[in-house]
Short mmCIF file of all heavy atoms in Angstrom, two decimals:
data_model
loop_
_atom_site.label_atom_id
_atom_site.label_comp_id
_atom_site.label_asym_id
_atom_site.label_seq_id
_atom_site.Cartn_x
_atom_site.Cartn_y
_atom_site.Cartn_z
N GLN A 441 -16.01 -16.95 -18.22
CA GLN A 441 -16.37 -15.61 -18.66
C GLN A 441 -16.50 -14.73 -17.36
O GLN A 441 -16.08 -13.58 -17.39
CB GLN A 441 -17.66 -15.64 -19.41
CG GLN A 441 -17.58 -16.38 -20.72
CD GLN A 441 -18.91 -16.44 -21.47
OE1 GLN A 441 -19.91 -15.98 -20.92
NE2 GLN A 441 -18.88 -16.97 -22.61
N MET A 442 -17.05 -15.26 -16.29
CA MET A 442 -17.19 -14.45 -15.08
C MET A 442 -15.81 -14.15 -14.50
O MET A 442 -15.59 -12.99 -14.01
CB MET A 442 -17.99 -15.31 -14.05
CG MET A 442 -19.45 -15.55 -14.46
SD MET A 442 -20.30 -16.68 -13.30
CE MET A 442 -21.76 -17.09 -14.24
N LEU A 443 -14.90 -15.10 -14.57
CA LEU A 443 -13.54 -14.86 -14.00
C LEU A 443 -12.79 -13.83 -14.86
O LEU A 443 -12.11 -13.00 -14.27
CB LEU A 443 -12.74 -16.15 -14.00
CG LEU A 443 -13.21 -17.24 -13.00
CD1 LEU A 443 -12.36 -18.48 -13.19
CD2 LEU A 443 -13.11 -16.74 -11.60
N ALA A 444 -13.04 -13.83 -16.15
CA ALA A 444 -12.37 -12.90 -17.04
C ALA A 444 -13.02 -11.48 -17.02
O ALA A 444 -12.44 -10.47 -17.50
CB ALA A 444 -12.31 -13.44 -18.45
N GLY A 445 -14.26 -11.44 -16.56
CA GLY A 445 -15.00 -10.20 -16.61
C GLY A 445 -15.41 -9.83 -18.03
O GLY A 445 -15.64 -8.69 -18.37
N GLU A 446 -15.51 -10.82 -18.93
CA GLU A 446 -15.84 -10.63 -20.31
C GLU A 446 -17.02 -11.54 -20.64
O GLU A 446 -17.04 -12.69 -20.24
CB GLU A 446 -14.71 -10.98 -21.27
CG GLU A 446 -13.47 -10.06 -20.99
CD GLU A 446 -12.25 -10.46 -21.86
OE1 GLU A 446 -12.40 -11.52 -22.57
OE2 GLU A 446 -11.21 -9.75 -21.82
N HIS A 447 -18.05 -10.93 -21.29
CA HIS A 447 -19.30 -11.64 -21.47
C HIS A 447 -19.78 -11.60 -22.92
O HIS A 447 -20.80 -11.01 -23.24
CB HIS A 447 -20.32 -11.09 -20.53
CG HIS A 447 -19.88 -11.02 -19.10
ND1 HIS A 447 -19.84 -12.12 -18.30
CD2 HIS A 447 -19.43 -9.93 -18.35
CE1 HIS A 447 -19.38 -11.76 -17.11
NE2 HIS A 447 -19.12 -10.48 -17.11
N PRO A 448 -19.00 -12.19 -23.86
CA PRO A 448 -19.39 -12.21 -25.28
C PRO A 448 -20.79 -12.85 -25.43
O PRO A 448 -21.13 -13.91 -24.84
CB PRO A 448 -18.27 -12.98 -25.95
CG PRO A 448 -17.72 -13.81 -24.89
CD PRO A 448 -17.78 -13.04 -23.62
N LEU A 449 -21.58 -12.25 -26.26
CA LEU A 449 -22.97 -12.66 -26.34
C LEU A 449 -23.15 -14.04 -26.96
O LEU A 449 -22.69 -14.34 -28.02
CB LEU A 449 -23.70 -11.65 -27.23
CG LEU A 449 -25.25 -11.80 -27.32
CD1 LEU A 449 -25.83 -11.54 -25.95
CD2 LEU A 449 -25.84 -10.75 -28.29
N SER A 450 -23.84 -14.91 -26.22
CA SER A 450 -24.19 -16.23 -26.68
C SER A 450 -25.68 -16.41 -26.35
O SER A 450 -26.50 -16.66 -27.18
CB SER A 450 -23.35 -17.35 -26.05
OG SER A 450 -23.68 -18.58 -26.49
N PHE A 451 -26.01 -16.35 -25.03
CA PHE A 451 -27.43 -16.30 -24.53
C PHE A 451 -27.48 -15.00 -23.85
O PHE A 451 -27.01 -14.83 -22.69
CB PHE A 451 -27.69 -17.49 -23.67
CG PHE A 451 -29.05 -17.63 -23.10
CD1 PHE A 451 -30.02 -16.75 -23.48
CD2 PHE A 451 -29.39 -18.65 -22.28
CE1 PHE A 451 -31.38 -16.88 -23.01
CE2 PHE A 451 -30.69 -18.85 -21.76
CZ PHE A 451 -31.69 -17.93 -22.14
N GLY A 452 -28.11 -14.04 -24.45
CA GLY A 452 -28.12 -12.65 -23.91
C GLY A 452 -28.81 -12.55 -22.57
O GLY A 452 -29.80 -13.25 -22.27
N LEU A 453 -28.30 -11.63 -21.74
CA LEU A 453 -28.85 -11.29 -20.51
C LEU A 453 -30.34 -10.85 -20.56
O LEU A 453 -31.17 -11.29 -19.77
CB LEU A 453 -28.02 -10.31 -19.73
CG LEU A 453 -28.51 -9.90 -18.35
CD1 LEU A 453 -28.52 -11.08 -17.36
CD2 LEU A 453 -27.58 -8.78 -17.76
N THR A 454 -30.61 -10.03 -21.56
CA THR A 454 -32.01 -9.51 -21.72
C THR A 454 -32.92 -10.67 -22.04
O THR A 454 -34.07 -10.79 -21.49
CB THR A 454 -32.04 -8.48 -22.82
OG1 THR A 454 -31.20 -7.42 -22.46
CG2 THR A 454 -33.47 -7.97 -23.04
N GLY A 455 -32.55 -11.58 -22.98
CA GLY A 455 -33.33 -12.68 -23.26
C GLY A 455 -33.47 -13.63 -22.15
O GLY A 455 -34.62 -14.25 -21.94
N ALA A 456 -32.45 -13.80 -21.33
CA ALA A 456 -32.52 -14.69 -20.21
C ALA A 456 -33.48 -14.16 -19.15
O ALA A 456 -34.33 -14.96 -18.60
CB ALA A 456 -31.17 -14.87 -19.57
N ALA A 457 -33.51 -12.90 -18.90
CA ALA A 457 -34.45 -12.31 -18.01
C ALA A 457 -35.90 -12.44 -18.55
O ALA A 457 -36.83 -12.73 -17.74
CB ALA A 457 -34.12 -10.82 -17.78
N LYS A 458 -36.09 -12.27 -19.79
CA LYS A 458 -37.40 -12.54 -20.39
C LYS A 458 -37.84 -13.96 -20.11
O LYS A 458 -39.02 -14.21 -19.67
CB LYS A 458 -37.32 -12.23 -21.87
CG LYS A 458 -38.66 -12.48 -22.62
CD LYS A 458 -38.81 -13.89 -23.25
CE LYS A 458 -37.84 -14.12 -24.35
NZ LYS A 458 -38.03 -15.45 -24.97
N ASP A 459 -36.93 -14.91 -20.29
CA ASP A 459 -37.32 -16.30 -20.05
C ASP A 459 -37.56 -16.59 -18.60
O ASP A 459 -38.39 -17.37 -18.24
CB ASP A 459 -36.14 -17.24 -20.57
CG ASP A 459 -36.06 -17.23 -22.07
OD1 ASP A 459 -36.89 -16.61 -22.76
OD2 ASP A 459 -35.15 -17.98 -22.59
N ALA A 460 -36.80 -15.96 -17.72
CA ALA A 460 -36.97 -16.16 -16.29
C ALA A 460 -38.41 -15.64 -15.86
O ALA A 460 -39.02 -16.27 -14.98
CB ALA A 460 -35.92 -15.41 -15.48
N ARG A 461 -38.88 -14.63 -16.50
CA ARG A 461 -40.24 -14.17 -16.24
C ARG A 461 -41.27 -15.19 -16.80
O ARG A 461 -42.34 -15.41 -16.17
CB ARG A 461 -40.48 -12.78 -16.86
CG ARG A 461 -39.72 -11.71 -16.10
CD ARG A 461 -39.95 -10.32 -16.68
NE ARG A 461 -39.41 -9.27 -15.75
CZ ARG A 461 -38.11 -8.87 -15.69
NH1 ARG A 461 -37.26 -9.41 -16.54
NH2 ARG A 461 -37.74 -8.00 -14.81
N LEU A 462 -40.99 -15.81 -17.90
CA LEU A 462 -41.90 -16.83 -18.42
C LEU A 462 -41.88 -18.02 -17.49
O LEU A 462 -42.91 -18.66 -17.25
CB LEU A 462 -41.45 -17.23 -19.79
CG LEU A 462 -41.54 -16.25 -20.95
CD1 LEU A 462 -40.98 -16.87 -22.26
CD2 LEU A 462 -42.99 -15.81 -21.14
N ILE A 463 -40.75 -18.39 -16.96
CA ILE A 463 -40.70 -19.49 -15.98
C ILE A 463 -41.48 -19.16 -14.72
O ILE A 463 -42.20 -19.97 -14.17
CB ILE A 463 -39.20 -19.74 -15.63
CG1 ILE A 463 -38.48 -20.35 -16.80
CG2 ILE A 463 -39.12 -20.72 -14.41
CD1 ILE A 463 -36.96 -20.35 -16.68
N GLN A 464 -41.38 -17.90 -14.24
CA GLN A 464 -42.11 -17.43 -13.11
C GLN A 464 -43.64 -17.64 -13.32
O GLN A 464 -44.36 -18.18 -12.45
CB GLN A 464 -41.76 -16.01 -12.77
CG GLN A 464 -42.41 -15.51 -11.44
CD GLN A 464 -41.82 -14.15 -11.10
OE1 GLN A 464 -42.02 -13.17 -11.86
NE2 GLN A 464 -41.18 -14.06 -9.91
N ALA A 465 -44.09 -17.26 -14.52
CA ALA A 465 -45.52 -17.40 -14.82
C ALA A 465 -45.88 -18.90 -14.90
O ALA A 465 -46.99 -19.27 -14.43
CB ALA A 465 -45.80 -16.71 -16.14
N ALA A 466 -44.99 -19.64 -15.46
CA ALA A 466 -45.27 -21.12 -15.52
C ALA A 466 -45.34 -21.77 -14.20
O ALA A 466 -46.16 -22.64 -13.94
CB ALA A 466 -44.15 -21.77 -16.41
N LEU A 467 -44.39 -21.43 -13.31
CA LEU A 467 -44.43 -21.92 -11.93
C LEU A 467 -45.77 -21.57 -11.25
O LEU A 467 -46.35 -22.46 -10.56
CB LEU A 467 -43.27 -21.35 -11.13
CG LEU A 467 -41.87 -21.85 -11.51
CD1 LEU A 467 -40.80 -21.00 -10.95
CD2 LEU A 467 -41.69 -23.30 -10.93
N ARG A 468 -46.17 -20.38 -11.40
CA ARG A 468 -47.48 -19.97 -10.72
C ARG A 468 -48.66 -20.76 -11.40
O ARG A 468 -49.53 -21.18 -10.64
CB ARG A 468 -47.65 -18.48 -10.91
CG ARG A 468 -46.59 -17.69 -10.09
CD ARG A 468 -46.62 -16.13 -10.36
NE ARG A 468 -45.72 -15.42 -9.53
CZ ARG A 468 -45.45 -14.15 -9.66
NH1 ARG A 468 -46.03 -13.46 -10.62
NH2 ARG A 468 -44.61 -13.57 -8.85
N THR A 469 -48.61 -20.92 -12.69
CA THR A 469 -49.67 -21.74 -13.37
C THR A 469 -49.71 -23.12 -12.76
O THR A 469 -50.76 -23.73 -12.61
CB THR A 469 -49.45 -21.68 -14.88
OG1 THR A 469 -49.53 -20.35 -15.36
CG2 THR A 469 -50.46 -22.61 -15.62
N ALA A 470 -48.49 -23.69 -12.57
CA ALA A 470 -48.41 -25.09 -12.13
C ALA A 470 -48.64 -25.22 -10.58
O ALA A 470 -48.70 -26.34 -10.10
CB ALA A 470 -47.05 -25.62 -12.46
N GLY A 471 -48.81 -24.09 -9.91
CA GLY A 471 -48.99 -24.16 -8.46
C GLY A 471 -47.69 -24.49 -7.72
O GLY A 471 -47.76 -25.05 -6.63
N VAL A 472 -46.53 -24.18 -8.32
CA VAL A 472 -45.14 -24.44 -7.76
C VAL A 472 -44.63 -23.14 -7.27
O VAL A 472 -44.79 -22.09 -7.98
CB VAL A 472 -44.30 -25.13 -8.75
CG1 VAL A 472 -42.93 -25.37 -8.08
CG2 VAL A 472 -44.89 -26.47 -9.18
N SER A 473 -43.99 -23.04 -6.13
CA SER A 473 -43.39 -21.84 -5.58
C SER A 473 -42.37 -21.26 -6.60
O SER A 473 -41.63 -21.99 -7.17
CB SER A 473 -42.72 -22.08 -4.26
OG SER A 473 -41.99 -20.94 -3.84
N ASP A 474 -42.39 -19.96 -6.72
CA ASP A 474 -41.48 -19.28 -7.67
C ASP A 474 -40.32 -18.66 -6.91
O ASP A 474 -39.63 -17.81 -7.45
CB ASP A 474 -42.22 -18.25 -8.47
CG ASP A 474 -42.70 -17.05 -7.72
OD1 ASP A 474 -42.68 -17.12 -6.46
OD2 ASP A 474 -43.14 -16.03 -8.29
#
Side-chain angles (χ1 to χ4, degrees):
Q441 295 177 357
M442 295 173 193
L443 293 177
E446 298 176 356
H447 308 285
L449 189 63
S450 179
F451 183 2
L453 179 61
T454 299
K458 179 267 295 184
D459 288 358
R461 288 181 170 83
L462 294 176
I463 292 166
Q464 188 171 57
L467 287 163
R468 292 171 177 174
T469 296
V472 178
S473 171
D474 69 347

